[in-house]
């Protein structure tokens, strides 16, 4: 592709230090995947409740002239060889956003089989130019020396306070003097630093078949969890072909089943593509309502059927008017996202999540384990229903919008079931409203859920109220509405980016 300026690329991530780590990799000659991995590793130190070595995720990679690939390293249901009768009870925790209250479930019984260590190694080995041993250095240094708590991270600590103080190991990190760390104080994770260095030197083996794996299995099983050595040794990254839908003359690539978020975003775009551009707020809310209504038990069963997926995303779906909405209860989504575009046309979009954290930190390993088995949105038919080895049906949806085969907009979001509404609105703001990525990310959002329209300040709700829709107003922008990180490329090769202020995001355009 023709490049008419000297910019090396652009990155957007959930923390300024996370973004700067990826920008440094681009300056050092790395490609978009290298930069995303460098940022992802640093996020473990800077965004410790949102992601980590005990989490899972998805990475979308777009390389000019090659078929795009989706690396699935999300959390699996554990339990190979375990006795379900020995499983402990999930521990419910109530979390308040101020304008919304939700229930989480934590503890050893909430822990699923993690994927980030092997996902990082696989992506680096297949697509990277910079060695993983070099990429882990900044992350390990920050974990060991400590990272100052930002306003946004302090808020996450506060609303998840009952979770992070639920075990002595977690409290020692996040409330070391009997109180939660405050803005400006440092979070230090020396055991995480050691683990990152081992990942760089030894690869994923210690985490899946070695001493770290053994320590994690013993710790979790002693506390009533179902994670076994067989679960870890059987875990592998899965290559998936992204789903592709058309929108306003472009191709949108996003996460395929068994993840549910991508296909629901795709369906929303199919509906909107049949309507005039740009859609109004009433149209957006109506599409969100229709999207919720199709998320039925039949939909969940159909995720394993390629023919169902093809029908679900077909143009004929525009005319369907589904009914029978299933009420949804979505967690905070302790999730973070990184997006990168580089001057060679590579694009990388990676979302990682620790659920809302389990509170289970295994001594000596640096691993804070996920609570995916306790997340209501990932277990819509009831807890402990997924068979061992099943990838959980996440809402996470790393996404790229291609124009004439070139990545024009790349994005993703945190926020559990708000992921799909956040990504949808950002695409509409950039493509239909022609906003820059940063302005699109900062624009106020709505979310429809269980008959209620949740709205940030700046959303005009008059027409919605006139139509009789209940409105739940937030008093300020809130991480409830997701955490979109988006980057875009102009035809002349100029880059633009937007880091979501709702989660302390940052975007950096890297000069040559």
């Amino acid at each position: 592709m023709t490049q008419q300026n000297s910019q090396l690329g652009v990155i957007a991530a959930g923390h300024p230090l996370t973004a700067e780590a990826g920008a440094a990799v681009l300056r050092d000659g790395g490609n978009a995947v290298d930069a995303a991995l460098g940022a992802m590793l640093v996020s473990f130190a800077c965004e410790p409740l949102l992601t980590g070595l005990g989490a899972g995720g998805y990475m979308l990679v777009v390389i000019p002239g090659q078929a795009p690939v989706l690396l699935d390293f999300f959390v699996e249901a554990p339990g190979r060889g375990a006795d379900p009768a020995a499983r402990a009870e999930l521990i419910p925790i109530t979390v308040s956003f101020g304008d919304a209250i939700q229930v989480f479930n934590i503890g050893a019984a909430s822990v699923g089989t993690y994927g980030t260590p092997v996902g990082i190694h696989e992506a680096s080995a297949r697509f990277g130019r910079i060695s993983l041993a070099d990429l882990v250095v900044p992350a390990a240094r920050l974990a060991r020396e400590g990272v100052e708590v930002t306003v946004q991270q302090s808020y996450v600590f506060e609303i998840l306070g009952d979770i992070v103080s639920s075990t002595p190991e977690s409290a020692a990190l996040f409330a070391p003097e009997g109180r939660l760390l405050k803005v400006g104080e440092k979070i230090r994770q020396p055991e995480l630093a050691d683990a990152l260095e081992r990942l760089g030197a030894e690869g994923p083996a210690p985490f899946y078949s070695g001493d770290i794996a053994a320590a994690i299995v013993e710790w979790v099983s002693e506390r009533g969890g179902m994670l076994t050595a067989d679960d870890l040794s059987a875990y592998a990254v899965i290559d998936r072909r992204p789903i592709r839908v058309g929108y306003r003359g472009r191709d949108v690539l996003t996460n395929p089943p068994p993840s549910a978020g991508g296909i629901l975003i795709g369906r929303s775009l199919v509906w909107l593509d049949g309507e005039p551009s740009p859609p109004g707020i009433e149209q957006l809310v109506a599409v969100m309502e229709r999207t919720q209504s199709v998320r039925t038990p039949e939909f969940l069963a159909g995720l394993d059927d390629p023919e169902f997926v093809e029908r679900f995303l077909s143009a004929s779906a525009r005319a369907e008017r589904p009914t029978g909405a299933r009420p949804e209860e979505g967690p905070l989504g302790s999730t973070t996202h990184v997006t990168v575009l580089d001057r060679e046309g590579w694009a990388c979009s990676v979302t990682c999540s620790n659920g809302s954290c389990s509170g289970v930190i295994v001594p000596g390993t640096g691993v804070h384990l996920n609570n995916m088995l306790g997340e209501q949105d990932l277990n819509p038919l009831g807890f402990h229903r997924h068979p061992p080895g099943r990838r959980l049906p996440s809402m996470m949806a790393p996404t790229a919008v291609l124009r004439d085969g070139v990545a024009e907009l790349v994005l993703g979001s945190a926020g559990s079931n708000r992921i799909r509404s956040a990504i949808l609105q950002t695409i509409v703001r950039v493509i239909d409203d022609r906003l820059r990525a940063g302005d699109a990310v900062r624009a106020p959002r709505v979310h429809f859920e269980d008959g209620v329209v949740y709205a940030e300040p700046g959303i005009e709700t008059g027409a919605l109220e006139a139509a009789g829709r209940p409105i739940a107003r937030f008093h300020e922008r809130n991480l409830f509405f997701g955490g979109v990180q988006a980057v875009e490329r102009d035809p002349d090769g100029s880059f633009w980016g937007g880091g979501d202020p709702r989660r302390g995001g940052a975007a950096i355009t890297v000069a040559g």
Side-chain angles (χ1 to χ4, degrees):
M1 60 181 294
T2 301
Q3 192 76 25
Q4 300 177 17
N5 63 54
S6 61
Q7 292 177 335
L8 298 177
V10 60
I11 180 171
H15 189 285
L17 292 177
T18 304
E20 178 51 43
V25 172
L26 288 175
R27 295 186 194 103
D28 289 343
N31 60 32
V33 176
D34 290 314
L37 290 172
M40 182 179 165
L41 289 160
V42 164
S43 74
F44 296 174
C46 299
E47 306 167 60
L49 295 184
L50 308 182
T51 183
L53 290 169
Y58 307 91
M59 176 182 284
L60 174 64
V61 179
V62 180
I63 304 173
Q66 298 185 28
V69 64
L70 191 292
L71 300 185
D72 177 347
F73 54 96
F74 195 55
V75 173
E76 282 185 352
R80 292 176 175 88
D83 179 7
R87 183 172 51 225
E89 294 295 323
L90 294 169
I91 303 170
I93 298 289
T94 299
V95 174
S96 174
F97 292 93
D99 295 296
I101 295 176
Q102 295 176 341
V103 176
F104 301 80
N105 295 281
I106 64 169
S110 72
V111 173
T113 310
Y114 51 83
T116 48
V118 70
I120 290 169
H121 182 267
E122 178 88 359
S124 179
R126 290 177 55 179
F127 304 112
R129 296 174 185 164
I130 296 179
S131 74
L132 186 54
D134 289 334
L135 289 176
V136 302
V137 171
R141 176 180 55 80
L142 286 169
R144 186 168 286 118
E145 295 177 358
V147 178
E148 287 191 4
V149 177
T150 63
V151 171
Q152 292 81 8
Q153 290 299 312
S154 175
Y155 178 62
V156 174
F157 290 0
E158 179 184 347
I159 63 176
L160 298 183
D162 286 345
I163 296 177
V164 301
S165 61
S166 64
T167 65
E169 298 76 26
S170 182
L173 284 181
F174 302 105
E177 297 179 1
R179 61 166 178 80
L180 295 170
L181 291 172
K182 298 179 180 179
V183 175
E185 296 181 325
K186 285 192 173 183
I187 171 71
R188 293 182 172 87
Q189 303 175 81
E191 292 182 348
L192 172 63
D194 294 341
L196 290 170
E197 289 169 347
R198 289 195 65 183
L199 177 64
E202 304 174 48
F207 301 88
Y208 293 91
S209 58
D211 59 307
I212 292 177
I216 289 172
V217 168
E218 181 180 9
W219 187 266
V220 171
S221 62
E222 286 177 351
R223 288 157 180 79
M226 293 288 101
L227 183 64
T228 69
D230 289 342
D231 293 320
L232 291 175
S233 64
Y235 189 91
V237 176
I238 299 174
D239 272 28
R240 301 195 189 277
R241 185 174 66 180
I243 63 169
R244 184 185 297 256
V245 297
Y247 187 69
R248 311 299 192 206
R250 297 158 172 87
D251 289 321
V252 180
L253 308 178
T254 190
N255 203 4
S259 174
I263 189 174
L264 292 171
I265 292 169
R267 177 73 166 241
S268 298
L269 291 170
V270 167
W271 279 325
L272 284 178
D273 199 39
E275 302 291 336
S277 173
I281 192 66
E282 300 97 323
Q283 287 174 288
L284 285 172
V285 169
V287 164
M288 292 177 194
E289 181 177 26
R290 294 173 68 186
T291 303
Q292 177 177 303
S293 72
V294 300
R295 198 169 172 232
T296 63
E298 292 75 20
F299 165 81
L300 295 172
L303 291 177
D304 291 323
D305 180 357
E307 292 185 1
F308 169 83
V309 173
E310 184 176 353
R311 291 195 306 272
F312 191 82
L313 296 174
S314 68
S316 61
R318 293 175 183 166
E320 297 180 16
R321 298 286 175 178
T323 58
R326 183 188 65 79
E328 296 188 275
E329 297 180 76
L332 159 72
S334 285
T335 304
T336 192
H337 185 84
V338 177
T339 48
V340 189
L341 278 165
D342 71 28
R343 67 183 305 171
E344 296 177 23
W346 288 49
C348 187
S349 181
V350 56
T351 315
C352 292
S353 179
N354 217 22
S356 53
C357 308
S358 66
V360 180
I361 298 177
V362 182
T365 69
V367 178
H368 186 170
L369 293 160
N370 66 83
N371 75 321
M372 297 299 185
L373 303 189
E375 294 287 321
Q376 292 171 331
D377 199 51
L378 275 66
N379 300 272
L381 302 181
F383 296 116
H384 308 308
R385 298 283 295 275
H386 297 293
R390 168 76 178 185
R391 296 284 161 105
L392 301 183
S394 170
M395 282 293 128
M396 294 153 63
T399 300
V401 180
L402 276 56
R403 189 170 192 172
D404 298 326
V406 177
E408 175 184 42
L409 172 68
V410 187
L411 71 165
S413 182
S416 189
N417 61 346
R418 274 85 64 191
I419 287 174
R420 62 178 185 266
S421 58
I423 291 176
L424 176 68
Q425 288 170 90
T426 306
I427 291 174
V428 167
R429 298 285 179 251
V430 173
I431 303 303
D432 292 272
D433 297 338
R434 300 187 178 182
L435 297 183
R436 286 294 181 196
D439 293 331
V441 167
R442 290 185 290 270
R445 295 183 194 139
V446 296
H447 177 72
F448 178 88
E449 186 172 320
D450 196 16
V452 177
V453 177
Y454 296 84
E456 287 188 308
I459 293 292
E460 176 52 58
T461 60
L464 298 171
E465 293 176 82
R469 290 192 179 276
I471 309 293
R473 294 182 180 81
F474 277 62
H475 295 94
E476 58 186 0
R477 284 186 302 204
N478 192 284
L479 54 72
F480 175 89
F481 291 89
V484 176
Q485 317 301 338
V487 296
E488 64 173 317
R489 180 202 321 270
D490 275 354
D492 68 357
S494 300
F495 295 108
W496 307 83
D500 203 322
R502 297 165 183 83
R503 300 200 177 210
I508 299 175
T509 300
V510 183

